[in-house]
Structures are given as C-alpha cells and as structure tokens.
Amino acid sequence: EYIVRNIVGEAVMGDPTLAAGLLRLHFHDCFVQVRDASVLLDSTPGSKAEKDALANKSLRGFEVIDKIKDTLEAQCPGVVTCADILALAARDAVLMVGGPYYDVPQGRRDGRRSVDTDTLTALPSPFLNASALITLFGTHGFNVQDMVALSGGHTLGVAHCPSFTPRLKFEASTLDAGFASSLAATCSKGGDSASATFDRTSTAFDGVYFKELQQRRGLLSSDQTLYESPETQRLVNMFAMNQGYFFYAFTQGMGKMGQIDLKEGDRGEVRKSCRVVNKPSW
Ligand code: HEM
C-alpha cells in the first residue's frame, strides 16, 4: 500500500487531473464483469478489448498503473493483483485531492476476459435519466443513495463535447443559459476533442458538483437528471448542503463497488503485466 500511495502521490502531484482518470478506470473496471482489472488488458490480434470500446476511449491513467505494477513485481513478485492495484490507486488518488479515505479489501484476482462489446450494456450512458440510472445501479446492489453519491465522482475531471452537446440542444429548460453558451463556444471552437470540467473545482474532491446541479450547471444529462427527478433531488440537496454526508455516502458506495457481483468461487490469476494475461504454464 505504501508503494501504491507513493507512486499515485507523485503522479497526481505532477498532474492533478490524473486523480479523475484513476477513479474512472476503477469504476469502469468494476461495472464490466467484476473487479478483475479487465479494463487494463490490451487488445490482441483476435480480440478487441474493453479499453478500446467507444465508452472507454477517453480513459486515462494506465501508465500510472503500469509503474505501480512494475515496482511491486520488483519488490514482491506475483503477489499483488492488478485489480487490487487499481482499487488502491483510485482510493489514494481521491484522498490526494481532498476526498475521503476508505478501506479497500484486498485479494481480488485478475480476470482473463476483456471484450469491447461487454461495455455496451454494462456502462451507463450519459443520456440516461434518473430512473434508468437507479435501475442499472440497482442490478449491482446499489441503492438510490449509493448511485447519487457515486455520481459525485464527477466532482473530478472532464467530459468531451460528444458527451454533452445533445444536452445543449434539447435541455434548455434545465440548463443555465450562461453555462450553455460557454459550453457551445468551447465545442464550436474545439470540436469533438474539446472538453469541459464537470464543476468549477475539477481537481478537488468536494461537494461543488452537487451545488452546481442545483444551479442547473450539470454537464451531462445523467448529472442534471439527479436534481430534476423527485426520486433523487432530496439527496442532491443534502449532499450540496453537507459535504461530510456526501463523503460518508461515497465511501459506502465505493465499498460496495469493490465487491460488485462477486460470487463464491470466482477464480483468477495474479497477472505479471496488467496489460496481458499470463501465459499458461503447461
Ligand atoms: C452515473 C452514471 C455515470 C455516467 C452516465 C457517467 C458518464 C461519464 C462520461 C460520459 C464521462 C466523460 C467521458 C468523456 O466525454 O470523455 C465521465 C467521466 C468521468 N466519470 Fe463518469 N459516469 C457515471 C458514473 C461515474 C462514477 C460512479 C464514477 C466514479 C465513482 C465516475 C467517475 C468519472 C470521472 C472521474 C470522470 C472524469 C474522467 C477524466 O477526467 O478523465 N463516473 N463519466
């Protein structure tokens, strides 16, 4: 844990936006199959991996994970899985930028399957409404509070224009006009590769994301819907008012995330490199 924390600390100090990348990598790993580091595997000539799916195009932070793995393999070969490294790195990154600490249960094994199409139904689209988000998260055992608190992960980082331009066109009634015109300007200047931050303090883990939802400055449809829907508005208001309560609920949610759909007897390996499955030993 000390090695992971040092390398994450160095990386996030050099580039504070990497905290967002590491947190998102862990979330996308957990939601596709289980927490098995499938998101870290590279595509092979015969098979396109999860990381090359459209929904994962902007994932980042892979080099930080590689560096941690290399260092750990030099220190204690064959012991720490990529799945655990990813969960610890996400936790430490959140902590580094002002978020809460939580325990990460270790011992999860690395999987051998990573297929791009597995992401299609597993990962939430930014155009889902609150009911659809509640249903999707519910299938993994999250309650409504978990889902809203975990969406607060968007207190960090950015989204690219294709993720939010439909909102600019169709959701004027739930979108602050000044915010809309600044987003429109960003996207018309920079095109699809331009990005905008989720909240004004995008490298600090705090409750500002929820305050901005109240001001109709949510970036994605799936963010703003949390304030617009009667099912979730109360939680947004609570998290906006009380950052400590958001932190508490977030740690509860992350605890469940690490255990997603885990079944007795799930097997796996300790990968030598996080990008490739181990060669069979026979
Ligand atoms: C509730 C459903 C969610 C949806 C629909 C969603 C969707 C998205 C989208 C579309 C992006 C931007 C992709 C791009 O345009 O490049 C994004 C970024 C991000 N998401 Fe989510 N997400 C969800 C939940 C979560 C959760 C649960 C977490 C973590 C706890 C999370 C953490 C992040 C972070 C940190 C970023 C910024 C990444 C960066 O700056 O590199 N998201 N998400």
Side-chain angles (χ1 to χ4, degrees):
E1 291 201 31
Y2 175 76
I3 291 175
V4 176
R5 188 156 314 144
N6 266 346
I7 297 176
V8 169
E10 229 170 66
V12 171
M13 248 155 29
D15 174 5
T17 73
L18 270 176
L22 291 169
L23 176 59
R24 186 168 182 235
L25 264 182
H26 174 52
F27 164 53
H28 282 209
D29 180 34
C30 295
F31 259 56
V32 183
Q33 306 180 75
V34 292
R35 171 155 83 83
D36 60 355
S38 52
V39 73
L40 299 178
L41 289 171
D42 284 342
S43 293
T44 58
S47 160
K48 203 166 153 191
E50 281 170 33
K51 64 163 60 151
D52 291 320
L54 187 65
N56 280 338
K57 230 175 67 180
S58 58
L59 286 182
R60 59 210 177 96
F62 294 103
E63 324 70 42
V64 182
I65 304 297
D66 288 340
K67 188 166 178 196
I68 297 170
K69 180 64 174 170
D70 290 348
T71 312
L72 284 171
E73 284 302 299
Q75 201 81 18
C76 43
V79 176
V80 189
T81 63
C82 298
D84 282 349
I85 292 174
L86 195 44
L88 290 168
R91 190 271 310 274
D92 292 345
V94 163
L95 189 65
M96 278 289 296
V97 292
Y101 178 89
Y102 51 91
D103 279 325
V104 171
Q106 290 162 54
R108 296 299 313 277
R109 315 271 291 174
D110 297 328
R112 295 178 59 85
R113 175 193 168 90
S114 181
V115 178
D116 63 338
T117 48
D118 286 351
T119 60
L120 290 175
T121 49
L123 293 175
S125 142
F127 311 115
L128 294 182
N129 64 23
S131 306
L133 290 170
I134 290 170
T135 305
L136 177 67
F137 277 68
T139 59
H140 296 297
F142 294 102
N143 60 31
V144 181
Q145 175 167 299
D146 298 327
M147 187 277 285
V148 177
L150 288 172
S151 297
H154 288 174
T155 177
L156 299 177
V158 299
H160 292 83
C161 290
S163 302
F164 58 82
T165 38
R167 171 155 159 70
L168 302 184
K169 272 199 205 119
F170 304 118
E171 295 176 23
S173 66
T174 62
L175 182 58
D176 175 86
F179 184 53
S181 54
S182 99
L183 293 176
T186 301
C187 296
S188 71
K189 211 161 95 199
D192 283 0
S193 59
S195 61
T197 60
F198 280 105
D199 71 15
R200 288 191 183 91
T201 56
S202 69
T203 54
F205 197 99
D206 56 25
V208 170
Y209 164 81
F210 293 105
K211 292 201 166 91
E212 295 199 357
L213 297 186
Q214 293 175 316
Q215 296 157 13
R216 304 235 151 97
R217 297 172 67 95
L219 188 55
L220 306 177
S221 307
S222 58
D223 294 317
Q224 194 59 48
T225 186
L226 301 177
Y227 182 68
E228 306 306 329
S229 161
E231 290 168 289
T232 47
Q233 189 183 68
R234 189 183 55 88
L235 287 160
V236 170
N237 289 337
M238 246 156 46
F239 294 151
M241 190 176 70
N242 184 341
Q243 181 176 282
Y245 188 56
F246 160 48
F247 280 17
Y248 163 76
F250 183 81
T251 60
Q252 299 277 103
M254 290 306 281
K256 289 189 191 173
M257 181 112 85
Q259 305 292 329
I260 275 187
D261 301 338
L262 191 60
K263 291 176 213 70
E264 197 67 50
D266 273 351
R267 310 281 290 258
E269 59 188 18
V270 183
R271 259 179 236 153
K272 291 193 172 67
S273 152
C274 291
R275 292 175 180 268
V276 286
V277 297
N278 292 345
K279 291 206 175 64
S281 52
W282 58 83

